[in-house]
Amino acid sequence: TGRFQIIESTLREGEQFANAFYDTETKIKIATALSDFGVEYIELTSPVASPQSRADCEAICKLGLKAKILTHVRCTMEDAKVAVATGVDGVDVVIGTSQILRDHSHHKSMAEITETAIEVVKWIKSQGVEVRFSSEDSFRSNIVDLLSLYQAVDKAGCDRVGVADTVGVATPRQVYKLVRTLRDVVSCDIETHFHNDTMCAVANAHAALEAGATHVDTSVLGIGERNGITPLGGLLARMIVESPDYVKSRYKLAKLKEIEDLVADVVQVNVPFNNPITGYSAFSHKAGIHSKAILAKPETYEILNPSDWGVKRWIHFSSRLTGWNAIKSRAGQLGLIITDEQAKQLTQKIKAMADVRPLAIDDTDSIIRSFCLEHQPEDQ
Ligand code: HCA
Ligand code: CU
């Protein structure tokens, strides 16, 4: 799981989020920020979707960003031609392979799907453009059919095959099994795409990488259809724990918050309080036992280092759970010096007040201040 690449789909899957409307300028801003951040690929909405989508795709290709630009289309020759004509570095093609999608969406047999897929893959490659073939709803597809389809497109020269949990049904164990099997069947790269309906999207991406996948689809804050896909920040939080050097060398982690704030603003949502890394409380420590240990050695209760991400740790000192170490530390931050014994005494006072009503930071600070004033050493 050391090395992996990110296919950032805020501008494709993310546009399928209920609130998303991106004008050209916004798309350029997001694409530029993501490229600067270090994602390897940026995936854009199909140019077939609308005239503006096509014009925006062409405009982003012309920016000369460091990230490779992809667009995402149905697996047909007509769509592939429009996609290649935009000037993208790569085309991601997709078609549903589960029985339910074949019956109710496009009505094609596996034989027809395979035939078209081979034709499309070969043609895109012949244009000197990278190509990925993905099966929508992979986890509700027949595994034997699926593997022979992937094998056929691999032989046809595909750069990547994609596994997509379109409905968010897969578990990490199922993902591991499918990707592990697929790893032995194709020689090309393996991309994965996980919806988050049951909150397994990060765990599934991780399991896929463990099993030999090479690429993960993400979006900023996880935005996408329904409740979205693997979030960029969540994936990186997961991956930095086991591959710190790789993740730190590859991505400008301190820019994550800025990108999330940008996208949150564009789609008019708040960053969730419990978001990994950037959530309001992601690095806040409250209980006395936790605060004491965090003050002595942050690794006691933090596997992620906030300074890697340019965000700050916060030690609570305003509740009935507060311990004296946090109060002593806060006094120090306020430029006041107290002994351990005094800090313990002061903490009892703060706990007693916090038992009656919620204490604001300012309240606690003034309690600390007046306590210290009262207890100033006489001879100073
Ligand atoms: C969809 C398509 C997709 C495609 C994923 C992929 C999905 O909107 O249904 O190209 O790998 O989730 O299947 O986003
Ligand atoms: Cu999707």
Side-chain angles (χ1 to χ4, degrees):
T1 57
R3 306 176 61 80
F4 61 95
Q5 296 194 29
I6 294 175
I7 310 231
E8 227 301 326
S9 194
T10 300
L11 295 176
R12 195 282 294 173
E13 177 77 47
E15 198 172 18
Q16 297 173 226
F17 171 50
N19 277 13
F21 169 82
Y22 306 140
D23 58 23
T24 310
E25 192 192 336
T26 302
K27 287 186 191 176
I28 289 175
K29 222 192 255 177
I30 293 173
T32 306
L34 287 169
S35 177
D36 291 347
F37 180 78
V39 303
E40 288 77 8
Y41 291 88
I42 293 171
E43 189 179 64
L44 305 177
T45 290
S46 168
V48 180
S50 75
Q52 194 59 50
S53 302
R54 182 177 184 160
D56 291 345
C57 181
E58 290 168 355
I60 290 170
C61 289
K62 290 202 185 88
L63 296 175
L65 298 176
K66 198 162 124 254
K68 289 195 198 176
I69 306 300
L70 305 169
T71 191
H72 185 266
V73 295
R74 291 166 296 193
C75 186
T76 66
M77 282 303 291
E78 299 76 44
D79 277 23
K81 283 182 178 156
V82 180
V84 167
T86 60
V88 288
D89 300 298
V91 181
D92 288 347
V93 299
V94 68
I95 186 160
T97 47
S98 61
Q99 192 69 49
I100 191 164
L101 289 187
R102 289 195 282 127
D103 287 350
H104 301 280
S105 177
H106 60 68
H107 310 285
K108 290 201 178 73
S109 70
M110 285 307 287
E112 288 171 283
I113 291 173
T114 309
E115 192 187 339
T116 313
I118 292 171
E119 186 190 1
V120 168
V121 165
K122 281 190 173 160
W123 183 80
I124 296 173
K125 279 311 280 180
S126 77
Q127 302 301 299
V129 171
E130 200 174 304
V131 60
R132 181 224 62 178
F133 172 86
S134 176
S135 71
E136 200 186 357
D137 207 7
S138 312
F139 289 88
R140 294 191 299 175
S141 303
N142 178 292
I143 175 94
V144 177
D145 288 353
L146 199 58
L147 292 173
S148 47
L149 174 59
Y150 285 136
Q151 196 164 40
V153 293
D154 183 38
K155 283 213 188 86
C158 214
D159 295 289
R160 290 189 303 286
V161 290
V163 171
D165 182 17
T166 308
V167 294
V169 68
T171 65
R173 202 189 291 244
Q174 289 170 331
V175 170
Y176 186 88
K177 227 176 124 194
L178 177 59
V179 175
R180 189 68 198 79
T181 308
L182 179 57
R183 189 59 290 172
D184 291 334
V185 171
V186 297
S187 58
C188 64
D189 285 344
I190 299 174
E191 174 179 337
T192 53
H193 179 100
F194 299 104
H195 277 263
N196 210 15
D197 300 72
T198 66
M199 293 303 271
C200 286
V202 170
N204 284 344
H206 176 260
L209 292 173
E210 282 186 313
T214 51
H215 294 66
V216 176
D217 291 6
T218 67
S219 69
V220 176
L221 298 172
I223 59 171
E225 288 281 349
R226 305 186 305 283
N227 82 330
I229 64 166
T230 307
L232 176 64
L235 178 73
L236 290 175
R238 177 63 266 170
M239 297 314 295
I240 199 173
V241 175
E242 45 207 282
S243 312
D245 297 338
Y246 181 75
V247 169
K248 286 187 218 172
S249 70
R250 204 105 185 160
Y251 308 107
K252 290 204 186 113
L253 303 178
K255 295 259 179 206
L256 178 69
K257 184 166 174 8
E258 212 176 293
I259 295 179
E260 289 188 345
D261 289 345
L262 167 66
V263 172
D265 187 48
V266 165
V267 303
Q268 304 269 289
V269 298
N270 293 314
V271 173
F273 72 90
N274 58 351
N275 209 41
I277 301 150
T278 55
Y280 159 75
S281 65
F283 291 103
S284 90
H285 304 276
K286 186 165 171 186
I289 294 168
H290 286 239
S291 302
K292 178 184 178 187
I294 279 283
L295 285 164
K297 189 172 175 59
E299 289 83 351
T300 48
Y301 287 102
E302 283 175 356
I303 53 155
L304 304 169
N305 182 349
S307 69
D308 285 340
W309 311 84
V311 298
K312 288 209 157 38
R313 163 181 314 126
W314 173 247
I315 296 172
H316 242 271
F317 56 86
S318 244
S319 85
R320 55 162 61 128
L321 308 183
T322 299
W324 68 269
N325 289 274
I327 294 299
K328 190 172 181 202
S329 154
R330 182 59 180 176
Q333 285 175 349
L334 297 173
L336 304 162
I337 295 161
I338 48 174
T339 66
D340 291 0
E341 274 319 307
Q342 287 172 330
K344 286 176 191 171
Q345 207 188 325
L346 171 56
T347 303
Q348 289 319 310
K349 204 170 155 178
I350 290 167
K351 279 176 181 288
M353 295 185 75
D355 254 348
V356 180
R357 61 178 173 90
L359 279 187
I361 291 169
D362 285 352
D363 295 339
T364 309
D365 279 348
S366 52
I367 299 167
I368 296 174
R369 279 206 187 85
S370 54
F371 180 93
C372 289
L373 221 69
E374 278 167 41
H375 294 79
Q376 244 168 22
E378 298 294 336
D379 54 342
Q380 275 177 26

